[in-house]
Every structure is written in structure tokens, then in C-alpha cells.
Amino acid sequence: LLFCFLLICLSLWCIIVAICAFIIHLQNHLIFALREAKEDAMSKAGHGMAAFKQQELKAWQPVLTPIAVIGMLLIVFVIFLPIGIVLEACSKRVIEQSWRYDNVGNCSKVTADLNSTQLPQNCILQGPGSENMLVLDADYEPPIYFYYELKNFYQNHRRFSKSKSDPQLRGDGNDVYTDQCDPLEYRNDKVIVPCGLFAGSFFEDRFSLDYRLPTANSSDDWISLCPHNNNSDPCFNWGTGSAHTEVWNEHWSQWHVDGSWQKRGIAWKSDVESKFKYVALSDGETNQGPRQNQSGLQLPTADDEDFIVWMRAAALPHFRKLHRVIHDRTLPKGTVLRINIASWFPTQDFGGEKWVTIGKTEWCGGANHALAWTYITVACVAMALTIIFAILLLFGSRKMADIERFAWHNRPTQSSLVSIA
């Protein structure tokens, strides 16, 4: 975060310098116009390449006078400070709550050693009466976003992020440019679709959300955003063990309900329309890599929006990705949540953590205090420099453009430099 902060400050300072240079350019526009007129006159007189040979071509020669610099710094202060304050106020209005679940119940047992006979492990993040208090502390109005978070998972690792085939994902063919997927290109002499470390590490956990309003009369008055009680329901948990593997593969991607637990629209529109297309498997192709062969699940199709969201690499090892959106209802303050989880994805082996987050964004997007304070810091630095330069201008002993301070006024008359001049 410190590196990002310094990088943003440097970028903003470059913008400031560019603005200063532009203003100085306008200040000296008259001088440039006179030079241009003079050069045109010389060209008409037959000088030809004289200006080029004598290094008298038009050039930008800004002069940073104290008054000009003070004025430009004040402009930066006036512009950046309100932007920073507005962004900080917007970030404070963003509402979100997070809960860790990889240390809850059977979900804490998920490791890379488990196979299809032991997966998924099921757990429930529940409200009062358990150690995890899932009570909303503010009113959440639609759209409400539900995220999963991973910590200590490096999606931005160079070898990991490049281990994929973009032509294969675009639908150009399942067997094209798969050499880019090394080391997960083949399994049992069959091309893996989609191939690569990126796709092969896909996040498989499934979630369904129940809630109880603060006005509910009974403790059993739960409302399901994605029904899961019957095997005909979209979010029904089919249980643990290899006997359920086939039915899990049939229904795994169907854990969504339009409006209340919506999957459609969680991925970028450009990704859905242009970058990810599904091509049916043919002979010599498989949708199971080493990890999927162990867990029993199949890789999702390339046009699955959960998969598309996963394939957009995160810049930092702690990241969140959008899972579902609630469009059709409001969750008032005091609402109790219950999150049902089917867990496949192991994190204990690399010291990672798994969280879920429910959040409400503002016009500025999610909370971004770092960006807001970057603007405020630049504004404060500009004001501090303005004050320093103003003090030096008012009380400094040196006069601007005082030729008496040049060294040659103190040289003896017999100096060779003076003689040449």
C-alpha cells in the first residue's frame, strides 16, 4: 500500500509539473510569437538552414518565476483538496461487513489432501447463538453485493498469471496455443479445457444466504435468497462423498436466482462478450485437471461468469471477488444472516484465509480511503510549498535577475574570459 501511495503521489506530481509548464508556456507565448516572426523574416531573406545550423530553432524555454509557481501550487491546492474531501466522505458512506469462515465448523477441515469422498465440507455462518454474530449494523438497500475474499493468495505471480491460453478462452479452439498453459496443459494425454494454473486453481466454494428480519415473530422465520431445502431448489446441498459427485457437477453452476441471488452481470461486459467463449469438448480433450480429478468437480465452462470473475487477476495477495448481487430487496438494520457454505477450496496449506463480505457501494464505488488521502496529502504539500515560496519571495535577500551577482563582475579586467568578450 505504501508503494502504491508513493506511486500515486509521483504520478500526481508529474501532472502538477505538466500544468505548471503549460501555464508558463502561455506566459511566454508573446515571446515565442516574436521569435517566429523573426525567423520567418530570416528565412525569406535567404538564410535557409541558418536557424538549424546556428541552433536557433523554436524551443520551449520556460522560466519558473516565484509568482508563477506560487499561483500554480495554489491552483493545485484548490482543486485537489475538495476532491480528496469528497472522496473521503463518499468512502465513509460505503457500508460493508466481513466474516471469516475457513475456521468455522467442518470448513476448517478442508485441506489439499482431501479427495472426492471427503468433499465438500459443509458449514454454516450463523447469527445469535453461535460464535459468529451475523447481524447487519446498517440498512442495506439494493443493489447489495456479496463477495468472497482470499488472503495470502498471489494471483499476480508471474508464472501463475501467464499460465493460460487466451485464444482457447476466446473460443478460437480448445487445442490452440495450449503451450502457454505449462505446466497444466495435458492430463492423461488429453488437452485440459480450460488449461493452465490460473484456470486449474478455480475457486469452487458455493454459498447461499438466508436472513431473518428484526421484526420477525419467530426465531425460525428465515427467508432464503436462494432456496436450498429440496433437491429441486437451485442451491440445494447435495452432500459429501463421491456418490454425489455427478449430481454436483450437474447443479454446481446453478446456484443462483435472478434478482435475489443474481449471478448474471457479476463479470465485466467486455469479458463476457469478447474474451470468454465456450467451445464444446471433443475427443482428446478433458475438463478435469489434477486438482479437479482429486476433488471430483469439473472445470467450469469458459463462459461461466463465476469463472470469468476468477480469471481477472488480482493485483494484491489479499483480494475480494464479486460472487452474487441482491437486486430485489432491502435488508434493514438488525437483520440476522445465515450463510450456508459448501467448501472445496483449500487454504490451510499455504497459510491463507477465506472470508465473505456483504456490502453496499456508493457513487464513487467501494471504499477507497488511500486515494482520498492521496489527494488530500498532495493538496497539503502544495499549500506548504506555497507558504515556503511566499516567505522566501517576501523576505528573501536575493533580488530576482540581479546581474550584479554574476561571477564575471568580480573578475579582473585582464582575465582572458573578459578579453574575449
Side-chain angles (χ1 to χ4, degrees), residues 231-280:
N231 59 11
S232 59
D233 291 335
C235 290
F236 181 72
N237 190 316
W238 296 94
T240 301
S242 55
H244 306 287
T245 298
E246 185 175 350
V247 70
W248 265 118
N249 282 320
E250 291 177 3
H251 297 88
W252 177 90
S253 62
Q254 300 174 12
W255 277 48
H256 60 92
V257 176
D258 284 348
S260 61
W261 198 239
Q262 186 159 312
K263 175 180 177 179
R264 178 171 47 85
I266 63 173
W268 289 16
K269 184 178 179 181
S270 59
D271 289 348
V272 174
E273 294 179 349
S274 306
K275 298 181 180 180
F276 293 86
K277 301 294 181 183
Y278 172 65
V279 176

Side-chain angles (χ1 to χ4, degrees), residues 54-239:
Q54 299 299 323
Q55 299 185 11
E56 293 179 352
L57 293 174
K58 289 186 294 183
W60 189 11
Q61 299 174 351
V63 179
L64 291 172
T65 63
I67 295 177
V69 172
I70 290 173
M72 288 180 286
L73 289 174
L74 281 174
I75 292 174
V76 171
F77 172 78
V78 171
I79 294 175
F80 278 53
L81 185 62
I83 293 176
I85 294 174
V86 170
L87 288 177
E88 177 64 14
C90 180
S91 295
K92 287 184 176 180
R93 291 197 301 270
V94 174
I95 308 169
E96 60 183 36
Q97 293 175 251
S98 299
W99 302 278
R100 183 179 178 182
Y101 73 89
D102 64 300
N103 58 351
V104 175
N106 288 336
C107 289
S108 63
K109 300 177 182 179
V110 178
T111 65
D113 297 327
L114 300 187
N115 56 36
S116 60
T117 64
Q118 303 161 297
L119 293 171
Q121 292 291 323
N122 304 304
C123 63
I124 298 176
L125 278 173
Q126 197 157 323
S130 73
E131 60 182 11
N132 298 281
M133 302 291 290
L134 275 64
V135 180
L136 298 183
D137 54 14
D139 294 331
Y140 285 76
E141 297 180 354
I144 304 169
Y145 300 97
F146 185 89
Y147 306 87
Y148 63 85
E149 294 188 35
L150 286 178
K151 295 187 177 182
N152 202 36
F153 189 94
Y154 289 81
Q155 265 198 330
N156 62 342
H157 191 285
R158 183 181 64 84
R159 188 179 184 190
F160 178 89
S161 60
K162 76 172 187 177
S163 181
K164 62 180 180 179
S165 172
D166 288 321
Q168 185 193 68
L169 296 172
R170 285 196 304 266
D172 295 344
N174 289 335
D175 58 351
V176 296
Y177 295 101
T178 56
D179 56 318
Q180 301 172 3
C181 294
D182 182 68
L184 291 185
E185 181 181 357
Y186 296 98
R187 178 177 168 270
N188 297 333
D189 297 326
K190 293 184 177 181
V191 176
I192 301 173
V193 181
C195 63
L197 290 171
F198 213 139
S201 63
F202 175 69
F203 185 83
E204 308 109 328
D205 290 5
R206 299 285 89 180
F207 310 92
S208 63
L209 179 63
D210 305 330
Y211 69 94
R212 189 177 71 236
L213 295 172
T215 57
N217 296 323
S218 170
S219 60
D220 296 326
D221 241 354
W222 293 98
I223 302 173
S224 297
L225 292 176
C226 184
H228 53 81
N229 294 323
N230 304 312
N231 59 11
S232 59
D233 291 335
C235 290
F236 181 72
N237 190 316
W238 296 94

